[in-house]
């Protein structure tokens, strides 16, 4: 099941440098979501979660730039589910495959430090999603090591994101632009902050990319949420045809042939990458 580690991703390498090396190794920006919904499990249990993940990783490892396990779907099975999450994260990390732990942590002080330790030490994830709403001191504990990184929620893919994230600030810009600017500054020392910018908001992708030409995006929303892969990638990629992870979960896991579905997404992503590079 587990192949040899990719030498391009090492624990001592800055996270986003390792991610870029993995992107080049597999020729893809595809981030496979590990979201073990009950309806997709052969048994609604921690063991069922593990079988789901192993089957999906087996089918997609050759095209995945990264994996994004959603902590909630494991944690609901208690200690056994958390053990499976830890096992999956550690085995992927041992193979040198970037792991973005989707946990959306957000707290202050010692609590944030504990969340960081849980993600990076206990689970050995290279990156974790965080909520920056509490400010810089809530994100700082996650940014102490260059080989560990965060994707901070900025302009999310859900319809309700417009309730707060597009509210105009005093300068006339939407709030998400202020969030993007602050998060970028917080990660200046190690260049280890990326942004969650949904593929469902093309304008936001363009706006943030214009202001921050090199920052990494995690852009959910393709498929079930209605986002257009071509439009999102055109708006969100860097000038070099990278800088943007495309998470796909149910579009692969629910397919009759997950391997073929993943390869189709890989091919579509590659087409857009190549078009940007040749532009």
């Amino acid at each position: 099941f587990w192949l040899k580690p990719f030498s391009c991703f090492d624990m001592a390498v800055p996270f986003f440098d390792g991610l870029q090396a993995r992107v080049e190794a597999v020729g893809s920006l595809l981030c496979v979501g590990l979201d073990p919904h009950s309806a997709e499990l052969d048994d609604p249990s921690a063991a069922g979660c593990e079988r789901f993940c192993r089957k999906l990783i087996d089918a997609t490892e050759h095209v995945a730039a990264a994996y994004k396990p959603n902590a909630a779907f494991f944690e609901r099975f208690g200690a056994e589910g958390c053990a499976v999450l830890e096992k999956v994260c550690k085995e992927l990390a041992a193979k040198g495959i970037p792991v973005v732990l989707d946990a959306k942590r957000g707290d202050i002080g010692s609590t944030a430090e504990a969340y960081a330790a849980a993600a990076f030490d206990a689970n050995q994830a290279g990156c974790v999603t965080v909520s920056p709403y509490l400010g810089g001191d809530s994100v700082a504990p996650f940014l102490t090591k260059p080989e560990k990184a965060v994707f901070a929620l900025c302009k999310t893919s859900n319809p309700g994101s417009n309730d707060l994230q597009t509210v105009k600030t005093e300068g006339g810009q939407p709030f998400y632009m202020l969030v993007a600017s602050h998060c970028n500054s917080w990660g200046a020392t190690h260049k280890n902050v990326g942004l969650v910018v949904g593929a469902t908001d093309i304008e936001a992708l363009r706006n943030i990319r214009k202001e921050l030409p090199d920052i990494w995006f995690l852009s959910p929303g393709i498929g079930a949420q209605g986002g257009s892969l071509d439009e999102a990638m055109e708006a969100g990629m860097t000038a070099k045809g990278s800088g943007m992870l495309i998470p796909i979960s149910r579009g692969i896991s629910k397919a009759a042939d997950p391997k073929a579905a993943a390869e189709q997404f890989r091919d579509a992503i590659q087409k857009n990458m190549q078009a940007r590079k040749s532009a």
Side-chain angles (χ1 to χ4, degrees), residues 43-117:
D43 176 60
S45 65
C49 282
E50 183 171 359
R51 287 190 293 272
F52 170 91
C53 291
R54 290 189 177 278
K55 178 181 178 182
L56 197 54
I57 293 168
D58 270 345
T60 62
E61 183 180 329
H62 62 300
V63 296
Y67 285 92
K68 185 177 71 68
N70 189 316
F73 291 105
F74 299 84
E75 291 171 355
R76 63 182 173 155
F77 292 115
E80 291 183 351
C82 292
V84 170
L85 175 63
E86 180 180 338
K87 184 176 183 180
V88 169
C89 289
K90 285 183 174 179
E91 289 181 338
L92 287 169
K95 298 176 63 184
I97 300 177
V99 174
V100 179
L101 179 60
D102 193 359
K104 301 179 179 69
R105 300 305 190 197
D107 215 310
I108 58 175
S110 59
T111 307
E113 292 174 2
Y115 277 139

Side-chain angles (χ1 to χ4, degrees), residues 2-251:
W2 301 108
L3 302 179
K4 293 182 179 179
F6 269 85
S7 60
C8 64
F9 195 84
D10 185 88
M11 290 183 68
V13 174
F15 177 80
F16 287 116
D17 289 351
L19 177 59
Q20 180 59 38
R22 173 73 183 185
V23 166
E24 294 171 3
V26 299
S28 174
L29 295 168
L30 177 63
C31 177
V32 177
L34 300 176
D35 298 357
H37 293 266
S38 290
E40 296 186 56
L41 302 181
D42 57 18
D43 176 60
S45 65
C49 282
E50 183 171 359
R51 287 190 293 272
F52 170 91
C53 291
R54 290 189 177 278
K55 178 181 178 182
L56 197 54
I57 293 168
D58 270 345
T60 62
E61 183 180 329
H62 62 300
V63 296
Y67 285 92
K68 185 177 71 68
N70 189 316
F73 291 105
F74 299 84
E75 291 171 355
R76 63 182 173 155
F77 292 115
E80 291 183 351
C82 292
V84 170
L85 175 63
E86 180 180 338
K87 184 176 183 180
V88 169
C89 289
K90 285 183 174 179
E91 289 181 338
L92 287 169
K95 298 176 63 184
I97 300 177
V99 174
V100 179
L101 179 60
D102 193 359
K104 301 179 179 69
R105 300 305 190 197
D107 215 310
I108 58 175
S110 59
T111 307
E113 292 174 2
Y115 277 139
F120 298 146
D121 299 333
N123 288 303
Q124 293 184 12
C127 184
V128 62
T129 56
V130 300
S131 171
Y133 192 75
L134 277 71
D137 57 339
S138 71
V139 179
F142 297 89
L143 304 179
T144 60
K145 299 177 181 179
E147 68 271 20
K148 303 297 184 180
V150 304
F151 277 110
L153 302 179
C154 183
K155 178 59 175 75
T156 54
S157 58
N158 57 305
S161 67
N162 292 327
D163 293 346
L164 296 175
Q165 296 165 20
T166 58
V167 172
K168 299 296 183 183
T169 62
E170 289 185 3
Q173 288 188 318
F175 181 61
Y176 66 75
M177 291 299 298
L178 183 64
V179 172
S181 177
H182 277 297
C183 289
N184 184 57
S185 68
W186 298 337
T189 299
H190 296 308
K191 305 295 184 186
N192 57 348
V193 171
L195 300 172
V196 177
V197 185
T200 52
D201 193 328
I202 303 303
E203 181 181 4
L205 285 165
R206 287 201 181 102
N207 289 342
I208 300 170
R209 180 55 73 207
K210 181 179 179 181
E211 292 296 318
L212 301 172
D214 298 317
I215 200 166
W216 272 88
F217 290 166
L218 178 69
S219 296
I222 301 298
Q225 295 185 58
S228 165
L229 178 64
D230 292 345
E231 291 181 9
M233 292 191 68
E234 189 279 329
M237 279 188 297
T238 64
K240 297 180 180 180
S242 187
M244 184 182 195
L245 277 181
I246 307 295
I248 305 291
S249 300
R250 286 169 287 180

